[in-house]
Amino acid sequence: GKFFCGAKSDTVVFDSDSVEIDFYFGHANSVIPSLNNPNPTYTHTPDWPVPEGYERVSIAAYFYRYGYNDSSFGEFADYRNIENFYFIKEFDPEEFLTEQYAATYTTSGILGLKRSTAFNHHETFTIPKEILIDRRNEPLYYNGADYFHFNLADIWFSEEKGSYLVLLGGSYAGVCFGYQYINDSQVKITTI
């Protein structure tokens, strides 16, 4: 994975008009080997391959609703304005790929089953109201639960094509949340 992300909150029930969650994230600085995992496969982030004909211009954070492809992405004229994605913030790649934004993943225990990630950076973001759709009155809606993601993306620009290549950062580069409205003004949110 290129990036690691995590989330933390002191509550799971929020006022639906003001949902703030602490997000921890950074580039995959290293994976520390353990007795049970002597040869980890993650690499130091700046060693990632550069897509041919592109230059890295940004690292961006997004929210998006469940159901959109989160395994890669695509090319866009404007990476800050992608349909069904909510652009949160962007980071200068040279600054982001420093120790300040490093995330270190470790494994230990029998067969490396005990895992942890240490983050050097975190920020609090407000979940856009448009993400949290109240579906309690939809008769065929599956069990009343819905989902959204927080994800980091690597942004590359091709001068030749005049477009941006947006690549979501891999399976650990995001956090998936389940949510369900409790009443008209409260929503329960949990990580999945």
Side-chain angles (χ1 to χ4, degrees):
K2 294 180 177 185
F3 307 114
F4 288 114
C5 295
K8 183 178 176 183
S9 175
D10 292 335
T11 186
V12 295
V13 177
F14 297 86
D15 177 332
S16 60
D17 289 328
S18 178
V19 178
E20 291 187 342
I21 297 176
D22 291 330
F23 289 91
Y24 295 76
F25 53 91
H27 65 86
N29 184 46
S30 63
V31 177
I32 298 173
S34 69
L35 228 40
N36 302 309
N37 188 13
N39 300 307
T41 58
Y42 294 94
T43 61
H44 184 63
T45 303
D47 297 337
W48 298 336
V50 175
E52 190 174 331
Y54 289 88
E55 174 186 357
R56 178 185 279 131
V57 293
S58 183
I59 307 294
Y62 296 93
F63 287 117
Y64 61 99
R65 293 185 40 72
Y66 182 75
Y68 298 96
N69 181 1
D70 62 349
S71 61
S72 59
F73 224 34
E75 297 221 18
F76 302 91
D78 180 2
Y79 65 90
R80 293 179 192 96
N81 189 20
I82 299 172
E83 185 177 2
N84 298 312
F85 280 70
Y86 300 87
F87 175 81
I88 304 166
K89 184 176 184 174
E90 67 183 305
F91 305 88
D92 176 271
E94 287 187 28
E95 181 182 340
F96 193 85
L97 299 177
T98 64
E99 192 64 28
Q100 177 184 351
Y101 290 93
T104 303
Y105 179 81
T106 59
T107 61
S108 61
I110 298 172
L111 301 175
L113 296 177
K114 189 174 182 181
R115 301 176 178 118
S116 67
T117 305
F119 295 96
N120 290 350
H121 183 79
H122 83 279
E123 294 188 39
T124 302
F125 295 128
T126 300
I127 311 305
K129 182 97 172 121
E130 299 83 7
I131 290 272
L132 303 173
I133 297 171
D134 185 353
R135 296 185 187 231
R136 290 177 296 151
N137 296 323
E138 293 182 23
L140 298 177
Y141 188 67
Y142 175 73
N143 82 4
D146 210 342
Y147 307 93
F148 70 93
H149 293 261
F150 167 82
N151 213 303
L152 294 177
D154 210 356
I155 312 297
W156 302 83
F157 181 71
S158 168
E159 197 168 309
E160 180 182 319
K161 294 180 178 183
S163 63
Y164 295 93
L165 177 62
V166 178
L167 299 173
L168 295 183
S171 59
Y172 295 104
V175 181
C176 182
F177 296 90
Y179 73 90
Q180 186 172 19
Y181 272 82
I182 297 170
N183 55 47
D184 290 342
S185 63
Q186 291 183 308
V187 62
K188 180 179 180 180
I189 299 177
T190 58
T191 57
I192 296 183

